Amino acid sequence: ALMYLYAIENNLEIIPVVNKIDLPSADPDRVKQEVEDIIGIDTSEAVLTSAKEGIGIQDVLEAVVKNVPPPTGDKRAPLKALVYDSFYDAYRGVVILFRIFTGEIRTGDKIQMMSNGKIHEITELGFLTPKQVRVDSLAAGETGYLAGAIKNVQDATVGDTITLAENPADEAWPGYKPAVPMVFCGMYPVDTDQYEDLKESLEKLRLNDAALNYEPETSGALGFGFRCGFLGLLHMEIIKERLEREYNLSLILTPPSVIYTVHLTDGEVLTLDNPMNLPPVTRIEKIEEPFVNVSIYLPNEYVGTIMDLAQNRRGTYIDMKYINNRVNLQYEMPLSELITDFFDQLKSRSKGYASLDYELCGTRESRLVKLDILVSSERVDALSMIVPIENAPRIGRQLSEKLKEMIPRQMFDVKIQAAIGGKIVASENISAMRKNVLAKCYGGDISRKRKLLEKQKEGKKKMKQIGNVEIPQEAFMAILKIGED
């Protein structure tokens, strides 16, 4: 529904297409009626297709040719080309994908990026079919690619305007609305020697993903890394997978968080995306967190269990509408509850039939506290999180139990604690591995056995003082798998 509204705002032509008509349970007429009822699109001329079987593909292409208006533009005007994507090629440097709104561009022209004034000479020009086909020139209304030995990925950002250095345009073409990150997490290399590789990889990904933001940060437990901002949890998972697959990096991601607005007692207002930076509770007057309007579409039989899920995630009931044999549930809930495993739970409880849509609706004051995790009395800053005060003991207990399962046994006792300030709200203990030092004592005085046990005890006490506990990578994402009581 949101994508439809964005398309209407930008005066785009809408072509309704009903896919998967080859399924035995397919009911195109019912789906068309639901689309009309929910979104309001006229589906009388909707194209029925099956991408798997190749049914209706030609009809989709014909509908695009018939309904989508052709591009316009004056080829004699100064060049204005909008960068809509780019990627890095090891041999050609940065390759820019663009659309020309006015003017004409040729191989050998010197182009200027209007955001930074950098000038480059075009060495290769072409269009996509989707294969790259080289041409000598492109004009207004066409899309294509260019390469010009651009080595710095920051010189070709998405949304920038390309013009000619000899005949520049007066003003840039309106670019894209800047993407606002909603979810943040820390990203650290498992091997600290890969820090520079991670930095270069993020720069290359940032080239064609304007929504990705990052800045350096340091953790006492994980070393040097980056604080990264994403549009959502799926965006975060995609970036992580690309870094690991395309750049052969091994990464640790800290639990995700949102942006909090903290009002201090002295009148100062802070914006925080990292729980580690939360001031002491004595300085905080109130904390606000982002809330979202959530629309859930699901079959009638799953209404009860989904309402229970939403209310357990601090959701406030707004409305419920019946549309044919489906229900539209509307809730208002904190974004922080949505970015954990809410979507997985939604699909699990509805057997995959429920769909979710949400939009930001502002910030609300909430009773929140910082929950710290201590391992062997050492605070693990990367596991700190901001949680509702009423749920802190439960979350601390569940996270402590998860860590107890994941951290391997050591030669000394390991204590895992969850704390709010100086108050311990949950505690678990991992017992030490013990060697049977009495195995060879078949007899003799009891004092000899006691002496061996005391010596073992002293050794473990010394080891506990100097020993370090390595926390496995899975522990830092355990927060996403915390179940509900």
Side-chain angles (χ1 to χ4, degrees):
L2 286 178
M3 298 305 297
Y4 174 68
L5 293 176
Y6 294 151
I8 293 299
E9 289 176 1
N10 289 276
N11 298 318
L12 300 181
E13 188 69 30
I14 307 296
I15 301 174
V17 177
V18 179
N19 192 22
K20 302 184 185 298
I21 63 171
D22 59 305
L23 295 178
S25 60
D27 189 353
D29 293 334
R30 177 181 60 80
V31 173
K32 288 164 63 175
Q33 186 60 47
E34 287 183 0
V35 171
E36 286 192 0
D37 294 339
I38 297 173
I39 302 181
I41 300 177
D42 180 15
T43 58
S44 58
E45 297 185 1
V47 183
L48 305 181
T49 68
S50 169
K52 178 182 177 182
E53 300 295 336
I55 301 171
I57 304 303
Q58 188 64 34
D59 295 335
V60 173
L61 298 176
E62 292 293 339
V64 171
V65 173
K66 177 183 176 181
N67 298 311
V68 177
T72 58
D74 184 4
K75 64 181 298 184
R76 295 185 296 273
L79 175 67
K80 288 184 182 180
L82 180 67
V83 179
Y84 66 84
D85 201 356
S86 55
F87 59 91
Y88 188 84
D89 185 277
Y91 301 99
R92 296 177 293 176
V94 178
V95 178
I96 300 175
L97 307 182
F98 60 91
R99 176 189 170 183
I100 303 177
F101 287 92
T102 63
E104 186 177 9
I105 190 171
R106 297 179 179 275
T107 303
D109 284 347
K110 290 187 177 181
I111 59 170
Q112 182 177 6
M113 312 303 294
M114 296 196 70
S115 65
N116 52 33
K118 297 289 183 66
I119 297 176
H120 307 278
E121 183 176 347
I122 299 176
T123 58
E124 183 179 340
L125 184 69
F127 58 85
L128 304 175
T129 64
K131 293 183 179 180
Q132 297 178 1
V133 179
R134 300 182 67 161
V135 294
D136 293 328
S137 65
L138 292 171
E142 295 182 297
T143 62
Y145 74 93
L146 67 83
I150 305 174
K151 293 182 170 44
N152 190 352
V153 296
Q154 302 297 333
D155 292 346
T157 56
V158 173
D160 199 357
T161 300
I162 302 172
T163 190
L164 293 178
E166 297 179 354
N167 183 25
D170 295 333
E171 59 182 9
W173 190 266
Y176 300 104
K177 182 180 178 180
V180 180
M182 301 299 296
V183 177
F184 296 82
C185 79
M187 189 175 290
Y188 299 85
V190 174
D191 183 357
T192 54
D193 293 337
Q194 290 187 329
Y195 174 78
E196 289 297 328
D197 296 335
L198 176 58
K199 182 180 179 181
E200 294 177 5
S201 302
L202 287 171
E203 287 178 354
K204 293 176 182 178
L205 287 183
R206 181 74 172 80
L207 176 64
N208 60 357
D209 190 346
L212 172 63
N213 288 320
Y214 62 92
E215 59 182 21
E217 80 167 0
T218 306
S219 166
L222 301 175
F224 294 98
F226 294 90
R227 191 71 181 174
C228 302
F230 310 93
L231 294 179
L233 207 61
L234 177 61
H235 187 206
M236 182 183 76
E237 291 292 338
I238 290 172
I239 294 298
K240 176 178 179 291
E241 287 295 324
R242 289 191 63 184
L243 288 170
E244 290 180 340
R245 294 186 183 185
E246 298 178 19
Y247 301 99
N248 297 319
L249 296 174
S250 297
L251 302 173
I252 293 177
L253 270 64
T254 63
S257 65
V258 298
I259 298 178
Y260 295 95
T261 304
V262 182
H263 297 259
L264 303 182
T265 53
D266 60 2
E268 186 180 359
V269 179
L270 302 178
T271 301
L272 302 178
D273 58 58
N274 191 340
M276 292 186 291
N277 299 330
L278 189 68
V281 66
T282 54
R283 295 186 56 203
I284 298 175
E285 180 180 345
K286 64 177 180 179
I287 302 176
E288 296 179 350
E289 61 177 331
F291 272 65
V292 291
N293 285 325
V294 178
S295 293
I296 304 172
Y297 298 94
L298 68 157
N300 295 340
E301 57 266 31
Y302 304 113
V303 170
T305 183
I306 299 304
M307 291 184 71
D308 180 63
L309 172 65
Q311 289 165 2
N312 287 338
R313 297 307 179 90
R314 296 190 287 151
T316 303
Y317 173 80
I318 302 297
D319 194 11
M320 179 169 61
K321 298 178 182 177
Y322 285 87
I323 304 171
N324 295 331
N325 65 335
R326 294 178 70 85
V327 178
N328 176 18
L329 285 176
Q330 295 183 6
Y331 276 86
E332 185 179 280
M333 67 173 57
L335 178 61
S336 58
E337 300 287 351
L338 204 66
I339 65 171
T340 51
D341 64 339
F342 183 86
F343 187 74
D344 293 340
Q345 288 284 336
L346 180 71
K347 288 298 183 181
S348 175
R349 295 189 180 204
S350 66
K351 298 182 180 179
Y353 285 104
S355 60
L356 173 70
D357 195 7
Y358 68 92
E359 61 179 339
L360 194 67
C361 64
T363 59
R364 307 281 189 275
E365 181 180 354
S366 300
R367 298 177 66 234
L368 303 172
V369 293
K370 184 173 76 165
L371 181 68
D372 291 316
I373 300 298
L374 293 80
V375 178
S376 292
S377 301
E378 293 290 334
R379 197 178 307 273
V380 184
D381 49 9
L383 285 176
S384 297
M385 54 189 300
I386 297 176
V387 298
I389 190 170
E390 63 272 13
N391 295 339
R394 174 180 62 84
I395 295 174
R397 182 175 63 256
Q398 292 178 341
L399 190 53
S400 298
E401 291 172 355
K402 286 267 185 189
L403 291 175
K404 182 179 179 180
E405 296 173 3
M406 295 179 178
I407 296 177
R409 292 177 67 187
Q410 310 292 318
M411 297 300 295
F412 50 89
D413 288 343
V414 177
K415 183 173 289 187
I416 302 170
Q417 297 171 311
I420 301 175
K423 179 182 178 182
I424 304 298
V425 296
S427 180
E428 294 288 341
N429 191 65
I430 303 176
S431 58
M433 292 188 292
R434 287 190 59 187
K435 179 182 177 182
N436 187 4
V437 293
L438 304 181
K440 296 182 179 180
C441 294
Y442 298 105
D445 188 65
I446 188 65
S447 61
R448 183 184 175 206
K449 297 181 180 180
R450 189 177 293 118
K451 183 178 179 181
L452 290 172
L453 291 173
E454 289 294 332
K455 185 177 180 181
Q456 183 186 48
K457 183 178 179 181
E458 288 296 323
K460 288 189 178 295
K461 184 178 179 181
K462 181 179 179 181
M463 195 180 299
K464 187 175 182 178
Q465 293 174 348
I466 64 175
N468 292 321
V469 180
E470 290 190 5
I471 301 176
Q473 178 178 354
E474 295 80 8
F476 293 94
M477 295 307 289
I479 206 168
L480 297 178
K481 305 300 180 183
I482 292 178
E484 299 176 359
D485 287 342

